[in-house]
Amino acid sequence: MADVSAVYEEMLSFFRPLWPGEDKPLVLGDGKKDHPILMLIGEAPGETEVIKRRPFVGRAGKNLDEFLSLAKLSREEIFVSNVVKIRPTEKGPTGRNRNRAPNKEELSLFIPWLMKEIAAVQPKALVTLGNVPLKALAGEKITIGDCHGQWQESKAGIPLFSLYHPASIIYRRALAPVYEEDVLRLAASLPDISDMKTRF
Ligand code: URA
Protein backbone atom coordinates (compact mmCIF):
# COMPACT_ATOMS: atom_id res chain seq x y z
CA MET A 1 0.00 0.00 0.00
CA ALA A 2 1.33 3.47 -0.95
CA ASP A 3 2.52 5.75 1.83
CA VAL A 4 0.32 8.85 2.03
CA SER A 5 3.37 11.07 1.34
CA ALA A 6 3.70 9.31 -2.04
CA VAL A 7 0.00 9.99 -2.73
CA TYR A 8 0.56 13.66 -1.85
CA GLU A 9 3.57 13.88 -4.21
CA GLU A 10 1.37 12.48 -6.98
CA MET A 11 -1.39 14.93 -6.09
CA LEU A 12 0.92 17.92 -6.20
CA SER A 13 2.18 16.91 -9.66
CA PHE A 14 -1.41 16.43 -10.83
CA PHE A 15 -2.83 19.70 -9.49
CA ARG A 16 0.13 22.06 -10.06
CA PRO A 17 -0.47 22.47 -13.82
CA LEU A 18 -4.28 22.70 -13.48
CA TRP A 19 -4.54 26.34 -12.42
CA PRO A 20 -1.53 28.12 -13.97
CA GLY A 21 -0.99 31.61 -12.58
CA GLU A 22 -3.58 31.13 -9.82
CA ASP A 23 -2.59 30.86 -6.19
CA LYS A 24 -4.43 27.71 -5.11
CA PRO A 25 -2.23 25.90 -2.60
CA LEU A 26 -3.25 22.42 -1.48
CA VAL A 27 -3.86 21.92 2.24
CA LEU A 28 -2.97 18.28 2.85
CA GLY A 29 -3.90 15.96 5.71
CA ASP A 30 -2.20 16.11 9.06
CA GLY A 31 -1.62 13.80 12.05
CA LYS A 32 -0.90 10.08 12.44
CA LYS A 33 -0.29 8.90 8.89
CA ASP A 34 -0.61 5.16 9.28
CA HIS A 35 -3.42 3.17 10.88
CA PRO A 36 -4.78 5.95 13.12
CA ILE A 37 -7.82 5.04 15.15
CA LEU A 38 -9.83 7.76 13.36
CA MET A 39 -9.51 9.79 10.18
CA LEU A 40 -11.60 12.97 10.41
CA ILE A 41 -12.70 14.43 7.10
CA GLY A 42 -13.98 17.97 6.62
CA GLU A 43 -15.21 19.87 3.60
CA ALA A 44 -12.41 22.17 2.42
CA PRO A 45 -9.85 24.48 4.03
CA GLY A 46 -10.65 28.09 4.90
CA GLU A 47 -8.41 31.15 4.93
CA THR A 48 -6.44 30.31 8.11
CA GLU A 49 -5.91 26.73 6.97
CA VAL A 50 -4.39 27.98 3.70
CA ILE A 51 -2.10 30.40 5.54
CA LYS A 52 -0.92 27.70 7.94
CA ARG A 53 -1.21 24.86 5.38
CA ARG A 54 -2.93 22.67 7.99
CA PRO A 55 -6.56 21.51 8.13
CA PHE A 56 -8.83 22.76 10.92
CA VAL A 57 -6.63 25.38 12.55
CA GLY A 58 -9.06 28.33 12.23
CA ARG A 59 -12.38 28.91 13.99
CA ALA A 60 -13.80 25.50 13.07
CA GLY A 61 -10.54 24.00 14.35
CA LYS A 62 -11.25 25.39 17.84
CA ASN A 63 -14.53 23.46 17.92
CA LEU A 64 -12.76 20.41 16.60
CA ASP A 65 -10.25 20.62 19.45
CA GLU A 66 -13.15 20.73 21.91
CA PHE A 67 -14.52 17.62 20.23
CA LEU A 68 -11.17 15.89 20.62
CA SER A 69 -10.90 16.71 24.30
CA LEU A 70 -14.47 15.51 24.87
CA ALA A 71 -13.56 12.23 23.16
CA LYS A 72 -10.23 12.14 25.06
CA LEU A 73 -8.25 12.05 21.83
CA SER A 74 -5.25 14.07 20.71
CA ARG A 75 -4.43 15.28 17.20
CA GLU A 76 -1.29 13.12 17.30
CA GLU A 77 -3.29 9.88 17.42
CA ILE A 78 -5.75 10.72 14.64
CA PHE A 79 -5.50 11.96 11.04
CA VAL A 80 -7.38 15.07 9.88
CA SER A 81 -8.05 15.99 6.25
CA ASN A 82 -10.63 17.47 3.87
CA VAL A 83 -12.45 16.26 0.77
CA VAL A 84 -11.37 19.28 -1.28
CA LYS A 85 -7.80 20.40 -0.62
CA ILE A 86 -8.00 23.94 -2.03
CA ARG A 87 -10.01 26.80 -0.53
CA PRO A 88 -13.16 27.38 -2.61
CA THR A 89 -13.81 31.12 -2.70
CA GLU A 90 -16.16 33.69 -4.18
CA LYS A 91 -16.16 37.47 -4.05
CA GLY A 92 -18.22 38.85 -1.16
CA PRO A 93 -20.14 42.17 -1.24
CA THR A 94 -17.04 44.09 -0.11
CA GLY A 95 -14.96 42.57 -2.92
CA ARG A 96 -13.04 40.36 -0.48
CA ASN A 97 -12.79 36.63 -1.05
CA ARG A 98 -15.07 34.58 1.16
CA ASN A 99 -15.53 30.81 1.54
CA ARG A 100 -18.15 28.99 -0.51
CA ALA A 101 -19.21 25.34 -0.66
CA PRO A 102 -17.15 23.21 -3.07
CA ASN A 103 -18.80 22.90 -6.50
CA LYS A 104 -19.44 19.71 -8.50
CA GLU A 105 -16.29 20.10 -10.57
CA GLU A 106 -14.08 20.47 -7.48
CA LEU A 107 -15.75 17.48 -5.84
CA SER A 108 -15.27 15.24 -8.84
CA LEU A 109 -11.63 16.31 -9.13
CA PHE A 110 -10.82 15.69 -5.48
CA ILE A 111 -12.94 12.68 -4.42
CA PRO A 112 -10.79 10.09 -6.26
CA TRP A 113 -7.75 11.53 -4.46
CA LEU A 114 -9.56 11.30 -1.13
CA MET A 115 -10.13 7.59 -1.80
CA LYS A 116 -6.40 7.10 -2.51
CA GLU A 117 -5.55 9.07 0.62
CA ILE A 118 -7.82 6.87 2.78
CA ALA A 119 -6.40 3.69 1.22
CA ALA A 120 -2.87 4.88 2.07
CA VAL A 121 -3.64 6.03 5.63
CA GLN A 122 -5.76 2.95 6.45
CA PRO A 123 -7.59 4.39 9.46
CA LYS A 124 -9.62 2.04 11.63
CA ALA A 125 -12.66 4.30 11.15
CA LEU A 126 -13.73 7.45 9.30
CA VAL A 127 -15.51 10.42 10.88
CA THR A 128 -17.19 12.77 8.43
CA LEU A 129 -17.72 16.38 9.49
CA GLY A 130 -20.81 17.75 7.76
CA ASN A 131 -22.67 16.85 4.58
CA VAL A 132 -19.92 17.21 1.98
CA PRO A 133 -17.65 14.36 3.21
CA LEU A 134 -20.69 12.29 4.22
CA LYS A 135 -22.12 12.39 0.69
CA ALA A 136 -18.69 11.77 -0.84
CA LEU A 137 -18.21 8.63 1.25
CA ALA A 138 -21.71 7.28 1.84
CA GLY A 139 -23.72 8.43 -1.18
CA GLU A 140 -25.43 11.53 -2.59
CA LYS A 141 -28.86 10.72 -1.14
CA ILE A 142 -27.75 10.56 2.48
CA THR A 143 -27.97 13.69 4.63
CA ILE A 144 -26.43 14.50 7.95
CA GLY A 145 -29.82 15.22 9.56
CA ASP A 146 -30.76 11.56 9.00
CA CYS A 147 -27.64 9.79 10.17
CA HIS A 148 -25.56 11.99 12.48
CA GLY A 149 -24.28 10.12 15.51
CA GLN A 150 -24.54 6.73 13.78
CA TRP A 151 -22.18 4.20 12.28
CA GLN A 152 -22.58 3.01 8.70
CA GLU A 153 -20.53 1.38 5.95
CA SER A 154 -18.62 3.69 3.60
CA LYS A 155 -17.54 3.50 -0.03
CA ALA A 156 -13.99 3.10 1.27
CA GLY A 157 -14.94 -0.19 2.96
CA ILE A 158 -14.17 1.32 6.39
CA PRO A 159 -16.82 2.03 9.07
CA LEU A 160 -17.99 5.63 9.01
CA PHE A 161 -19.42 7.77 11.83
CA SER A 162 -21.06 11.05 10.83
CA LEU A 163 -20.96 14.26 12.83
CA TYR A 164 -22.26 17.74 12.08
CA HIS A 165 -19.56 20.07 10.84
CA PRO A 166 -17.85 21.77 13.80
CA ALA A 167 -18.47 25.18 12.15
CA SER A 168 -22.23 24.54 11.98
CA ILE A 169 -22.39 24.89 15.77
CA ILE A 170 -21.08 28.43 15.41
CA TYR A 171 -24.08 29.32 13.22
CA ARG A 172 -26.69 27.03 14.80
CA ARG A 173 -26.20 27.05 18.57
CA ALA A 174 -29.11 24.62 19.00
CA LEU A 175 -26.92 21.95 17.43
CA ALA A 176 -24.30 22.15 20.20
CA PRO A 177 -25.93 19.62 22.58
CA VAL A 178 -26.70 17.27 19.66
CA TYR A 179 -23.10 17.47 18.50
CA GLU A 180 -21.83 16.84 22.03
CA GLU A 181 -24.08 13.80 22.43
CA ASP A 182 -22.87 12.42 19.07
CA VAL A 183 -19.22 12.92 20.07
CA LEU A 184 -19.79 11.11 23.38
CA ARG A 185 -21.48 8.25 21.52
CA LEU A 186 -18.48 8.05 19.18
CA ALA A 187 -16.07 8.11 22.14
CA ALA A 188 -18.00 5.30 23.83
CA SER A 189 -17.73 3.10 20.72
CA LEU A 190 -13.98 3.61 20.20
CA PRO A 191 -12.95 0.45 22.12
CA ASP A 192 -15.12 -1.65 19.74
CA ILE A 193 -13.78 -0.18 16.49
CA SER A 194 -11.60 -3.17 15.58
CA ASP A 195 -14.59 -5.55 15.64
CA MET A 196 -16.80 -3.19 13.69
CA LYS A 197 -15.60 -4.11 10.20
CA THR A 198 -17.04 -7.58 10.51
CA ARG A 199 -20.47 -6.20 11.40
CA PHE A 200 -21.18 -4.51 8.05
N1 URA B 1 -13.63 23.63 7.56
C1 URA B 1 -13.32 22.47 6.96
O1 URA B 1 -14.18 21.73 6.52
N2 URA B 1 -12.04 22.15 6.87
C2 URA B 1 -11.06 22.90 7.38
O2 URA B 1 -9.91 22.50 7.25
C3 URA B 1 -11.43 24.09 8.01
C4 URA B 1 -12.72 24.44 8.09
Side-chain angles (χ1 to χ4, degrees), residues 148-151 161 180-190:
H148 66 91
Q150 291 168 38
W151 285 101
F161 190 91
E180 201 171 306
E181 197 179 305
D182 290 349
V183 171
L184 291 174
R185 189 172 303 156
L186 169 65
S189 57
L190 289 182

Side-chain angles (χ1 to χ4, degrees), residues 27 41-50 54-61 64 75 80-84 99 129-130 132-133 165-167:
V27 177
I41 306 169
E43 182 176 309
E47 189 176 18
T48 314
E49 284 76 20
V50 169
R54 281 185 75 199
F56 285 100
V57 287
R59 250 178 110 191
L64 189 70
R75 282 219 184 201
V80 183
S81 197
N82 283 299
V83 178
V84 168
N99 296 341
L129 306 170
V132 169
H165 193 284

Side-chain angles (χ1 to χ4, degrees), residues 116-133:
K116 286 193 193 192
E117 187 184 21
I118 295 171
V121 173
Q122 293 191 41
K124 295 208 170 86
L126 301 169
V127 177
T128 52
L129 306 170
N131 259 323
V132 169

